[in-house]
Amino acid sequence: MITKNISFEVQEYNDIEELNIEDRKLMDLAVLATKQAYAPYSEFKVGAALLLDNGEIIVGANQENAAYPSGMCAERVAIWTAGVKYPEAKITKLCISASSLKNPVDQPLAPCGACRQTLSEYEIKQNKNMEILLMGETGKVLKTNSLLNLLPLAFDKEFL
Ligand code: THU
Protein backbone atom coordinates (compact mmCIF):
# COMPACT_ATOMS: atom_id res chain seq x y z
CA MET A 1 0.00 0.00 0.00
CA ILE A 2 1.17 3.49 -0.70
CA THR A 3 -0.42 6.74 0.36
CA LYS A 4 -0.86 9.24 -2.42
CA ASN A 5 -1.48 12.93 -2.02
CA ILE A 6 -3.77 14.57 -4.54
CA SER A 7 -3.50 18.33 -4.43
CA PHE A 8 -4.15 21.34 -6.59
CA GLU A 9 -3.23 24.99 -6.72
CA VAL A 10 -5.67 27.79 -6.18
CA GLN A 11 -5.08 31.53 -6.29
CA GLU A 12 -6.81 33.51 -3.57
CA TYR A 13 -7.63 37.17 -4.17
CA ASN A 14 -8.73 39.46 -1.37
CA ASP A 15 -11.64 40.72 -3.42
CA ILE A 16 -12.92 41.26 -6.96
CA GLU A 17 -10.83 44.43 -7.31
CA GLU A 18 -7.64 42.34 -7.35
CA LEU A 19 -8.64 40.40 -10.48
CA ASN A 20 -7.23 41.22 -13.91
CA ILE A 21 -9.56 43.14 -16.23
CA GLU A 22 -10.84 40.11 -18.18
CA ASP A 23 -11.59 38.12 -15.04
CA ARG A 24 -13.13 41.15 -13.37
CA LYS A 25 -15.51 41.78 -16.29
CA LEU A 26 -16.61 38.16 -16.39
CA MET A 27 -17.12 38.03 -12.63
CA ASP A 28 -19.17 41.24 -12.83
CA LEU A 29 -21.42 39.43 -15.32
CA ALA A 30 -21.75 36.43 -12.99
CA VAL A 31 -22.77 38.79 -10.19
CA LEU A 32 -25.27 40.45 -12.51
CA ALA A 33 -26.62 37.02 -13.52
CA THR A 34 -27.53 36.26 -9.91
CA LYS A 35 -30.33 38.79 -10.42
CA GLN A 36 -31.78 36.47 -13.09
CA ALA A 37 -32.09 33.60 -10.64
CA TYR A 38 -35.56 32.28 -10.01
CA ALA A 39 -35.07 31.08 -6.44
CA PRO A 40 -38.26 31.70 -4.45
CA TYR A 41 -37.73 28.57 -2.32
CA SER A 42 -34.09 28.72 -1.26
CA GLU A 43 -33.71 32.47 -1.73
CA PHE A 44 -30.15 31.55 -2.74
CA LYS A 45 -29.24 33.14 -6.05
CA VAL A 46 -26.36 31.81 -8.12
CA GLY A 47 -24.98 33.37 -11.29
CA ALA A 48 -22.55 31.85 -13.77
CA ALA A 49 -20.74 33.52 -16.69
CA LEU A 50 -18.76 31.55 -19.27
CA LEU A 51 -16.23 33.00 -21.68
CA LEU A 52 -15.87 31.04 -24.93
CA ASP A 53 -12.83 30.98 -27.21
CA ASN A 54 -14.91 32.70 -29.92
CA GLY A 55 -15.26 35.71 -27.59
CA GLU A 56 -18.90 35.06 -26.78
CA ILE A 57 -20.13 35.17 -23.19
CA ILE A 58 -22.96 33.00 -21.89
CA VAL A 59 -24.65 33.49 -18.55
CA GLY A 60 -26.88 31.30 -16.43
CA ALA A 61 -28.74 31.53 -13.15
CA ASN A 62 -30.41 28.90 -10.99
CA GLN A 63 -34.05 28.17 -11.80
CA GLU A 64 -36.09 26.53 -9.07
CA ASN A 65 -39.35 24.63 -9.15
CA ALA A 66 -42.14 23.87 -6.67
CA ALA A 67 -41.16 20.23 -7.23
CA TYR A 68 -37.71 20.93 -5.78
CA PRO A 69 -35.58 18.38 -7.68
CA SER A 70 -36.90 19.77 -10.96
CA GLY A 71 -34.91 22.97 -10.47
CA MET A 72 -31.52 23.55 -12.01
CA CYS A 73 -28.22 25.12 -10.94
CA ALA A 74 -26.77 28.22 -12.58
CA GLU A 75 -23.65 26.44 -13.84
CA ARG A 76 -25.59 23.80 -15.75
CA VAL A 77 -28.03 26.35 -17.17
CA ALA A 78 -25.01 28.26 -18.51
CA ILE A 79 -22.96 25.37 -19.86
CA TRP A 80 -25.88 23.68 -21.58
CA THR A 81 -26.86 26.98 -23.17
CA ALA A 82 -23.27 27.29 -24.44
CA GLY A 83 -23.45 23.71 -25.73
CA VAL A 84 -26.60 24.50 -27.68
CA LYS A 85 -25.61 27.93 -29.01
CA TYR A 86 -21.94 27.29 -29.75
CA PRO A 87 -21.33 23.54 -29.83
CA GLU A 88 -17.91 23.93 -31.46
CA ALA A 89 -16.59 26.60 -29.09
CA LYS A 90 -14.29 25.85 -26.18
CA ILE A 91 -14.91 27.28 -22.74
CA THR A 92 -12.01 29.41 -21.61
CA LYS A 93 -13.21 30.38 -18.17
CA LEU A 94 -16.18 30.22 -15.87
CA CYS A 95 -17.04 32.68 -13.10
CA ILE A 96 -19.56 31.79 -10.43
CA SER A 97 -21.10 34.08 -7.83
CA ALA A 98 -23.87 33.76 -5.27
CA SER A 99 -26.00 35.87 -2.99
CA SER A 100 -28.69 35.01 -0.48
CA LEU A 101 -31.69 36.84 0.87
CA LYS A 102 -31.12 35.05 4.19
CA ASN A 103 -27.40 35.45 4.95
CA PRO A 104 -24.63 37.49 3.36
CA VAL A 105 -22.50 35.23 1.16
CA ASP A 106 -19.01 36.47 1.96
CA GLN A 107 -17.06 33.38 0.94
CA PRO A 108 -16.47 31.86 -2.50
CA LEU A 109 -19.31 29.62 -3.68
CA ALA A 110 -18.39 25.93 -3.86
CA PRO A 111 -20.14 24.46 -6.92
CA CYS A 112 -22.24 21.39 -6.16
CA GLY A 113 -21.04 17.92 -7.06
CA ALA A 114 -23.49 17.46 -9.93
CA CYS A 115 -22.28 20.69 -11.53
CA ARG A 116 -18.65 19.65 -11.14
CA GLN A 117 -19.44 16.37 -12.89
CA THR A 118 -21.36 18.10 -15.67
CA LEU A 119 -18.65 20.71 -16.19
CA SER A 120 -15.94 18.02 -16.22
CA GLU A 121 -17.59 16.43 -19.27
CA TYR A 122 -17.09 19.66 -21.19
CA GLU A 123 -13.50 20.21 -20.06
CA ILE A 124 -12.59 16.66 -21.08
CA LYS A 125 -14.51 16.92 -24.37
CA GLN A 126 -12.79 20.14 -25.40
CA ASN A 127 -9.37 18.78 -24.39
CA LYS A 128 -8.46 22.13 -22.90
CA ASN A 129 -8.55 23.41 -19.35
CA MET A 130 -11.15 25.93 -18.31
CA GLU A 131 -10.30 28.39 -15.57
CA ILE A 132 -12.75 28.52 -12.69
CA LEU A 133 -13.31 31.58 -10.52
CA LEU A 134 -15.49 31.42 -7.42
CA MET A 135 -16.93 34.25 -5.35
CA GLY A 136 -19.78 35.02 -2.99
CA GLU A 137 -21.37 38.42 -3.25
CA THR A 138 -18.42 39.99 -1.46
CA GLY A 139 -15.08 38.84 -0.15
CA LYS A 140 -12.38 36.56 -1.41
CA VAL A 141 -12.18 35.14 -4.91
CA LEU A 142 -10.66 31.74 -5.63
CA LYS A 143 -9.23 30.91 -9.04
CA THR A 144 -7.96 27.59 -10.30
CA ASN A 145 -6.77 26.65 -13.76
CA SER A 146 -8.83 23.51 -14.35
CA LEU A 147 -12.28 22.24 -13.51
CA LEU A 148 -10.79 18.81 -12.82
CA ASN A 149 -8.90 20.34 -9.90
CA LEU A 150 -12.30 20.51 -8.22
CA LEU A 151 -13.15 16.90 -9.04
CA PRO A 152 -10.25 14.59 -8.29
CA LEU A 153 -10.66 10.97 -9.43
CA ALA A 154 -13.45 12.07 -11.77
CA PHE A 155 -15.65 9.54 -13.49
CA ASP A 156 -15.30 9.99 -17.25
CA LYS A 157 -15.95 8.24 -20.54
CA GLU A 158 -12.79 6.12 -20.20
CA PHE A 159 -14.62 3.99 -17.63
CA LEU A 160 -17.39 3.05 -20.05
N1 THU B 1 -27.15 26.16 -6.68
C1 THU B 1 -26.56 26.52 -7.86
O1 THU B 1 -27.16 27.16 -8.73
N2 THU B 1 -25.28 26.15 -8.04
C2 THU B 1 -24.52 25.46 -7.14
O2 THU B 1 -23.39 25.10 -7.45
C3 THU B 1 -25.05 25.20 -5.81
C4 THU B 1 -26.51 25.41 -5.64
C5 THU B 1 -28.55 26.55 -6.49
C6 THU B 1 -29.53 25.41 -6.52
C7 THU B 1 -30.66 25.93 -5.70
O3 THU B 1 -31.54 26.68 -6.56
C8 THU B 1 -30.02 26.89 -4.72
O4 THU B 1 -28.72 27.15 -5.23
C9 THU B 1 -29.90 26.33 -3.32
O5 THU B 1 -29.30 25.10 -3.31
Side-chain angles (χ1 to χ4, degrees):
M1 191 277 280
I2 56 165
T3 301
K4 287 188 171 178
N5 180 28
I6 301 175
S7 62
F8 72 97
E9 279 189 2
V10 62
Q11 284 78 49
E12 185 183 270
Y13 299 85
N14 275 325
D15 59 34
I16 193 171
E17 307 287 338
E18 267 190 21
L19 297 177
N20 67 42
I21 295 278
E22 187 182 74
D23 290 356
R24 169 75 202 260
K25 282 187 180 162
L26 198 66
M27 187 57 89
D28 280 341
L29 291 174
V31 172
L32 205 59
T34 64
K35 316 272 186 261
Q36 303 301 118
Y38 172 65
Y41 305 106
S42 71
E43 300 188 327
F44 191 78
K45 299 176 170 219
V46 184
L50 295 170
L51 175 65
L52 304 178
D53 64 353
N54 62 10
E56 295 288 339
I57 288 172
I58 304 284
V59 297
N62 53 325
Q63 303 295 314
E64 297 187 347
N65 192 283
Y68 293 176
S70 303
M72 187 45 63
C73 291
E75 298 91 322
R76 279 176 282 170
V77 170
I79 202 149
W80 288 334
T81 304
V84 169
K85 285 190 84 173
Y86 303 105
E88 304 306 329
K90 296 187 178 187
I91 298 152
T92 307
K93 60 181 78 180
L94 163 63
C95 287
I96 308 169
S97 173
S99 70
S100 168
L101 301 181
K102 294 178 183 158
N103 305 300
V105 185
D106 57 5
Q107 57 179 332
L109 178 92
C112 81
C115 284
R116 293 179 201 212
Q117 181 67 35
T118 303
L119 295 166
S120 76
E121 181 80 20
Y122 286 77
E123 182 168 282
I124 291 165
K125 174 163 74 86
Q126 69 184 23
N127 200 23
K128 191 169 183 291
N129 288 5
M130 56 175 94
E131 294 179 342
I132 310 290
L133 289 96
L134 308 172
M135 194 179 88
E137 50 185 326
T138 57
K140 294 198 160 101
V141 181
L142 295 181
K143 178 176 179 178
T144 193
N145 66 3
S146 167
L147 183 281
L148 287 173
N149 287 343
L150 302 181
L151 194 64
L153 306 178
F155 179 80
D156 67 22
K157 62 182 182 332
E158 300 303 324
F159 288 96
L160 299 175

PDB file of all heavy atoms in Angstrom, residues 48-75:
ATOM      1  N   ALA A  48     -23.735  32.416 -13.124  1.00  0.00           N
ATOM      2  CA  ALA A  48     -22.549  31.850 -13.773  1.00  0.00           C
ATOM      3  C   ALA A  48     -22.327  32.593 -15.084  1.00  0.00           C
ATOM      4  O   ALA A  48     -23.287  32.905 -15.787  1.00  0.00           O
ATOM      5  CB  ALA A  48     -22.752  30.355 -14.031  1.00  0.00           C
ATOM      6  N   ALA A  49     -21.080  32.887 -15.403  1.00  0.00           N
ATOM      7  CA  ALA A  49     -20.745  33.516 -16.687  1.00  0.00           C
ATOM      8  C   ALA A  49     -19.576  32.757 -17.303  1.00  0.00           C
ATOM      9  O   ALA A  49     -18.546  32.549 -16.655  1.00  0.00           O
ATOM     10  CB  ALA A  49     -20.391  34.989 -16.487  1.00  0.00           C
ATOM     11  N   LEU A  50     -19.770  32.328 -18.544  1.00  0.00           N
ATOM     12  CA  LEU A  50     -18.758  31.551 -19.271  1.00  0.00           C
ATOM     13  C   LEU A  50     -18.173  32.401 -20.378  1.00  0.00           C
ATOM     14  O   LEU A  50     -18.918  33.046 -21.122  1.00  0.00           O
ATOM     15  CB  LEU A  50     -19.422  30.380 -19.999  1.00  0.00           C
ATOM     16  CG  LEU A  50     -20.094  29.259 -19.257  1.00  0.00           C
ATOM     17  CD1 LEU A  50     -20.859  28.409 -20.268  1.00  0.00           C
ATOM     18  CD2 LEU A  50     -19.050  28.418 -18.580  1.00  0.00           C
ATOM     19  N   LEU A  51     -16.866  32.378 -20.524  1.00  0.00           N
ATOM     20  CA  LEU A  51     -16.227  33.001 -21.683  1.00  0.00           C
ATOM     21  C   LEU A  51     -15.815  31.891 -22.649  1.00  0.00           C
ATOM     22  O   LEU A  51     -15.165  30.920 -22.245  1.00  0.00           O
ATOM     23  CB  LEU A  51     -14.988  33.797 -21.247  1.00  0.00           C
ATOM     24  CG  LEU A  51     -14.155  34.404 -22.366  1.00  0.00           C
ATOM     25  CD1 LEU A  51     -14.943  35.470 -23.140  1.00  0.00           C
ATOM     26  CD2 LEU A  51     -12.848  35.000 -21.806  1.00  0.00           C
ATOM     27  N   LEU A  52     -16.211  32.039 -23.912  1.00  0.00           N
ATOM     28  CA  LEU A  52     -15.871  31.043 -24.929  1.00  0.00           C
ATOM     29  C   LEU A  52     -14.686  31.536 -25.762  1.00  0.00           C
ATOM     30  O   LEU A  52     -14.416  32.744 -25.832  1.00  0.00           O
ATOM     31  CB  LEU A  52     -17.077  30.790 -25.837  1.00  0.00           C
ATOM     32  CG  LEU A  52     -18.369  30.366 -25.130  1.00  0.00           C
ATOM     33  CD1 LEU A  52     -19.494  30.188 -26.143  1.00  0.00           C
ATOM     34  CD2 LEU A  52     -18.160  29.081 -24.350  1.00  0.00           C
ATOM     35  N   ASP A  53     -14.014  30.587 -26.428  1.00  0.00           N
ATOM     36  CA  ASP A  53     -12.833  30.984 -27.207  1.00  0.00           C
ATOM     37  C   ASP A  53     -13.195  31.747 -28.484  1.00  0.00           C
ATOM     38  O   ASP A  53     -12.316  32.245 -29.170  1.00  0.00           O
ATOM     39  CB  ASP A  53     -11.934  29.774 -27.509  1.00  0.00           C
ATOM     40  CG  ASP A  53     -12.593  28.737 -28.396  1.00  0.00           C
ATOM     41  OD1 ASP A  53     -13.808  28.854 -28.691  1.00  0.00           O
ATOM     42  OD2 ASP A  53     -11.901  27.773 -28.785  1.00  0.00           O
ATOM     43  N   ASN A  54     -14.484  31.855 -28.791  1.00  0.00           N
ATOM     44  CA  ASN A  54     -14.907  32.702 -29.919  1.00  0.00           C
ATOM     45  C   ASN A  54     -15.263  34.114 -29.434  1.00  0.00           C
ATOM     46  O   ASN A  54     -15.797  34.921 -30.188  1.00  0.00           O
ATOM     47  CB  ASN A  54     -16.095  32.075 -30.663  1.00  0.00           C
ATOM     48  CG  ASN A  54     -17.319  31.921 -29.777  1.00  0.00           C
ATOM     49  OD1 ASN A  54     -17.363  32.438 -28.652  1.00  0.00           O
ATOM     50  ND2 ASN A  54     -18.329  31.215 -30.258  1.00  0.00           N
ATOM     51  N   GLY A  55     -15.016  34.375 -28.153  1.00  0.00           N
ATOM     52  CA  GLY A  55     -15.260  35.705 -27.593  1.00  0.00           C
ATOM     53  C   GLY A  55     -16.656  35.892 -27.020  1.00  0.00           C
ATOM     54  O   GLY A  55     -16.920  36.895 -26.348  1.00  0.00           O
ATOM     55  N   GLU A  56     -17.529  34.934 -27.291  1.00  0.00           N
ATOM     56  CA  GLU A  56     -18.902  35.065 -26.779  1.00  0.00           C
ATOM     57  C   GLU A  56     -18.944  34.789 -25.272  1.00  0.00           C
ATOM     58  O   GLU A  56     -18.126  34.026 -24.742  1.00  0.00           O
ATOM     59  CB  GLU A  56     -19.840  34.077 -27.486  1.00  0.00           C
ATOM     60  CG  GLU A  56     -20.020  34.336 -28.969  1.00  0.00           C
ATOM     61  CD  GLU A  56     -20.857  35.576 -29.272  1.00  0.00           C
ATOM     62  OE1 GLU A  56     -21.616  36.019 -28.399  1.00  0.00           O
ATOM     63  OE2 GLU A  56     -20.717  36.098 -30.396  1.00  0.00           O
ATOM     64  N   ILE A  57     -19.911  35.402 -24.615  1.00  0.00           N
ATOM     65  CA  ILE A  57     -20.128  35.174 -23.185  1.00  0.00           C
ATOM     66  C   ILE A  57     -21.541  34.637 -22.996  1.00  0.00           C
ATOM     67  O   ILE A  57     -22.490  35.159 -23.599  1.00  0.00           O
ATOM     68  CB  ILE A  57     -19.925  36.480 -22.390  1.00  0.00           C
ATOM     69  CG1 ILE A  57     -18.428  36.826 -22.360  1.00  0.00           C
ATOM     70  CG2 ILE A  57     -20.474  36.355 -20.968  1.00  0.00           C
ATOM     71  CD1 ILE A  57     -18.105  38.177 -21.790  1.00  0.00           C
ATOM     72  N   ILE A  58     -21.653  33.605 -22.194  1.00  0.00           N
ATOM     73  CA  ILE A  58     -22.963  33.000 -21.888  1.00  0.00           C
ATOM     74  C   ILE A  58     -23.172  33.079 -20.384  1.00  0.00           C
ATOM     75  O   ILE A  58     -22.248  32.781 -19.617  1.00  0.00           O
ATOM     76  CB  ILE A  58     -22.980  31.501 -22.294  1.00  0.00           C
ATOM     77  CG1 ILE A  58     -22.631  31.316 -23.764  1.00  0.00           C
ATOM     78  CG2 ILE A  58     -24.302  30.849 -21.935  1.00  0.00           C
ATOM     79  CD1 ILE A  58     -23.724  31.674 -24.718  1.00  0.00           C
ATOM     80  N   VAL A  59     -24.369  33.463 -19.985  1.00  0.00           N
ATOM     81  CA  VAL A  59     -24.646  33.491 -18.550  1.00  0.00           C
ATOM     82  C   VAL A  59     -25.777  32.521 -18.198  1.00  0.00           C
ATOM     83  O   VAL A  59     -26.583  32.145 -19.056  1.00  0.00           O
ATOM     84  CB  VAL A  59     -25.010  34.916 -18.046  1.00  0.00           C
ATOM     85  CG1 VAL A  59     -23.847  35.874 -18.240  1.00  0.00           C
ATOM     86  CG2 VAL A  59     -26.271  35.426 -18.699  1.00  0.00           C
ATOM     87  N   GLY A  60     -25.810  32.157 -16.932  1.00  0.00           N
ATOM     88  CA  GLY A  60     -26.881  31.301 -16.429  1.00  0.00           C
ATOM     89  C   GLY A  60     -27.174  31.672 -14.988  1.00  0.00           C
ATOM     90  O   GLY A  60     -26.345  32.294 -14.312  1.00  0.00           O
ATOM     91  N   ALA A  61     -28.356  31.306 -14.543  1.00  0.00           N
ATOM     92  CA  ALA A  61     -28.736  31.529 -13.153  1.00  0.00           C
ATOM     93  C   ALA A  61     -29.622  30.361 -12.730  1.00  0.00           C
ATOM     94  O   ALA A  61     -30.313  29.765 -13.577  1.00  0.00           O
ATOM     95  CB  ALA A  61     -29.486  32.851 -13.003  1.00  0.00           C
ATOM     96  N   ASN A  62     -29.613  30.042 -11.443  1.00  0.00           N
ATOM     97  CA  ASN A  62     -30.414  28.897 -10.993  1.00  0.00           C
ATOM     98  C   ASN A  62     -31.909  29.165 -11.178  1.00  0.00           C
ATOM     99  O   ASN A  62     -32.385  30.289 -11.011  1.00  0.00           O
ATOM    100  CB  ASN A  62     -30.080  28.488  -9.555  1.00  0.00           C
ATOM    101  CG  ASN A  62     -30.162  29.607  -8.542  1.00  0.00           C
ATOM    102  OD1 ASN A  62     -29.846  30.742  -8.832  1.00  0.00           O
ATOM    103  ND2 ASN A  62     -30.603  29.285  -7.340  1.00  0.00           N
ATOM    104  N   GLN A  63     -32.613  28.099 -11.524  1.00  0.00           N
ATOM    105  CA  GLN A  63     -34.051  28.171 -11.804  1.00  0.00           C
ATOM    106  C   GLN A  63     -34.728  27.091 -10.965  1.00  0.00           C
ATOM    107  O   GLN A  63     -34.524  25.902 -11.213  1.00  0.00           O
ATOM    108  CB  GLN A  63     -34.315  27.923 -13.299  1.00  0.00           C
ATOM    109  CG  GLN A  63     -33.576  28.897 -14.230  1.00  0.00           C
ATOM    110  CD  GLN A  63     -34.042  30.340 -14.090  1.00  0.00           C
ATOM    111  OE1 GLN A  63     -35.240  30.598 -14.049  1.00  0.00           O
ATOM    112  NE2 GLN A  63     -33.103  31.278 -14.006  1.00  0.00           N
ATOM    113  N   GLU A  64     -35.488  27.504  -9.980  1.00  0.00           N
ATOM    114  CA  GLU A  64     -36.093  26.534  -9.068  1.00  0.00           C
ATOM    115  C   GLU A  64     -37.501  26.154  -9.511  1.00  0.00           C
ATOM    116  O   GLU A  64     -38.066  26.734 -10.441  1.00  0.00           O
ATOM    117  CB  GLU A  64     -36.069  27.105  -7.641  1.00  0.00           C
ATOM    118  CG  GLU A  64     -34.632  27.314  -7.172  1.00  0.00           C
ATOM    119  CD  GLU A  64     -34.515  27.722  -5.713  1.00  0.00           C
ATOM    120  OE1 GLU A  64     -35.522  28.097  -5.088  1.00  0.00           O
ATOM    121  OE2 GLU A  64     -33.383  27.652  -5.202  1.00  0.00           O
ATOM    122  N   ASN A  65     -38.042  25.168  -8.808  1.00  0.00           N
ATOM    123  CA  ASN A  65     -39.355  24.626  -9.155  1.00  0.00           C
ATOM    124  C   ASN A  65     -40.037  24.188  -7.867  1.00  0.00           C
ATOM    125  O   ASN A  65     -39.367  23.729  -6.941  1.00  0.00           O
ATOM    126  CB  ASN A  65     -39.168  23.421 -10.098  1.00  0.00           C
ATOM    127  CG  ASN A  65     -40.468  22.991 -10.730  1.00  0.00           C
ATOM    128  OD1 ASN A  65     -41.295  22.349 -10.095  1.00  0.00           O
ATOM    129  ND2 ASN A  65     -40.654  23.339 -11.978  1.00  0.00           N
ATOM    130  N   ALA A  66     -41.376  24.303  -7.849  1.00  0.00           N
ATOM    131  CA  ALA A  66     -42.136  23.874  -6.670  1.00  0.00           C
ATOM    132  C   ALA A  66     -41.881  22.396  -6.370  1.00  0.00           C
ATOM    133  O   ALA A  66     -41.900  21.978  -5.212  1.00  0.00           O
ATOM    134  CB  ALA A  66     -43.622  24.122  -6.888  1.00  0.00           C
ATOM    135  N   ALA A  67     -41.646  21.608  -7.415  1.00  0.00           N
ATOM    136  CA  ALA A  67     -41.160  20.234  -7.229  1.00  0.00           C
ATOM    137  C   ALA A  67     -39.636  20.346  -7.164  1.00  0.00           C
ATOM    138  O   ALA A  67     -38.964  20.363  -8.200  1.00  0.00           O
ATOM    139  CB  ALA A  67     -41.619  19.344  -8.378  1.00  0.00           C
ATOM    140  N   TYR A  68     -39.100  20.474  -5.971  1.00  0.00           N
ATOM    141  CA  TYR A  68     -37.708  20.926  -5.785  1.00  0.00           C
ATOM    142  C   TYR A  68     -36.660  20.294  -6.702  1.00  0.00           C
ATOM    143  O   TYR A  68     -35.850  21.019  -7.275  1.00  0.00           O
ATOM    144  CB  TYR A  68     -37.276  20.745  -4.322  1.00  0.00           C
ATOM    145  CG  TYR A  68     -37.992  21.631  -3.327  1.00  0.00           C
ATOM    146  CD1 TYR A  68     -37.739  21.501  -1.962  1.00  0.00           C
ATOM    147  CD2 TYR A  68     -38.925  22.596  -3.720  1.00  0.00           C
ATOM    148  CE1 TYR A  68     -38.386  22.299  -1.034  1.00  0.00           C
ATOM    149  CE2 TYR A  68     -39.582  23.391  -2.791  1.00  0.00           C
ATOM    150  CZ  TYR A  68     -39.308  23.248  -1.445  1.00  0.00           C
ATOM    151  OH  TYR A  68     -39.946  24.027  -0.528  1.00  0.00           O
ATOM    152  N   PRO A  69     -36.663  18.960  -6.863  1.00  0.00           N
ATOM    153  CA  PRO A  69     -35.582  18.378  -7.680  1.00  0.00           C
ATOM    154  C   PRO A  69     -35.658  18.769  -9.153  1.00  0.00           C
ATOM    155  O   PRO A  69     -34.718  18.524  -9.903  1.00  0.00           O
ATOM    156  CB  PRO A  69     -35.766  16.861  -7.523  1.00  0.00           C
ATOM    157  CG  PRO A  69     -36.656  16.695  -6.345  1.00  0.00           C
ATOM    158  CD  PRO A  69     -37.516  17.919  -6.285  1.00  0.00           C
ATOM    159  N   SER A  70     -36.769  19.361  -9.554  1.00  0.00           N
ATOM    160  CA  SER A  70     -36.899  19.771 -10.958  1.00  0.00           C
ATOM    161  C   SER A  70     -36.185  21.081 -11.255  1.00  0.00           C
ATOM    162  O   SER A  70     -36.138  21.506 -12.412  1.00  0.00           O
ATOM    163  CB  SER A  70     -38.375  19.902 -11.349  1.00  0.00           C
ATOM    164  OG  SER A  70     -39.043  18.694 -11.128  1.00  0.00           O
ATOM    165  N   GLY A  71     -35.654  21.726 -10.236  1.00  0.00           N
ATOM    166  CA  GLY A  71     -34.912  22.966 -10.466  1.00  0.00           C
ATOM    167  C   GLY A  71     -33.543  22.676 -11.053  1.00  0.00           C
ATOM    168  O   GLY A  71     -33.133  21.520 -11.198  1.00  0.00           O
ATOM    169  N   MET A  72     -32.838  23.732 -11.411  1.00  0.00           N
ATOM    170  CA  MET A  72     -31.517  23.555 -12.008  1.00  0.00           C
ATOM    171  C   MET A  72     -30.540  24.625 -11.547  1.00  0.00           C
ATOM    172  O   MET A  72     -30.919  25.772 -11.337  1.00  0.00           O
ATOM    173  CB  MET A  72     -31.639  23.575 -13.541  1.00  0.00           C
ATOM    174  CG  MET A  72     -30.374  23.235 -14.291  1.00  0.00           C
ATOM    175  SD  MET A  72     -29.481  21.787 -13.630  1.00  0.00           S
ATOM    176  CE  MET A  72     -30.660  20.464 -13.871  1.00  0.00           C
ATOM    177  N   CYS A  73     -29.292  24.221 -11.386  1.00  0.00           N
ATOM    178  CA  CYS A  73     -28.218  25.124 -10.941  1.00  0.00           C
ATOM    179  C   CYS A  73     -27.791  26.068 -12.059  1.00  0.00           C
ATOM    180  O   CYS A  73     -27.895  25.741 -13.256  1.00  0.00           O
ATOM    181  CB  CYS A  73     -26.991  24.328 -10.518  1.00  0.00           C
ATOM    182  SG  CYS A  73     -27.189  23.360  -9.027  1.00  0.00           S
ATOM    183  N   ALA A  74     -27.229  27.187 -11.644  1.00  0.00           N
ATOM    184  CA  ALA A  74     -26.767  28.218 -12.581  1.00  0.00           C
ATOM    185  C   ALA A  74     -25.704  27.686 -13.547  1.00  0.00           C
ATOM    186  O   ALA A  74     -25.728  27.990 -14.752  1.00  0.00           O
ATOM    187  CB  ALA A  74     -26.171  29.373 -11.784  1.00  0.00           C
ATOM    188  N   GLU A  75     -24.781  26.902 -13.023  1.00  0.00           N
ATOM    189  CA  GLU A  75     -23.655  26.438 -13.839  1.00  0.00           C
ATOM    190  C   GLU A  75     -24.138  25.563 -14.992  1.00  0.00           C
ATOM    191  O   GLU A  75     -23.654  25.669 -16.126  1.00  0.00           O
ATOM    192  CB  GLU A  75     -22.671  25.620 -12.992  1.00  0.00           C
ATOM    193  CG  GLU A  75     -22.023  26.389 -11.865  1.00  0.00           C
ATOM    194  CD  GLU A  75     -22.805  26.313 -10.547  1.00  0.00           C
ATOM    195  OE1 GLU A  75     -24.053  26.335 -10.578  1.00  0.00           O
ATOM    196  OE2 GLU A  75     -22.154  26.250  -9.489  1.00  0.00           O
TER     197      GLU A  75
END
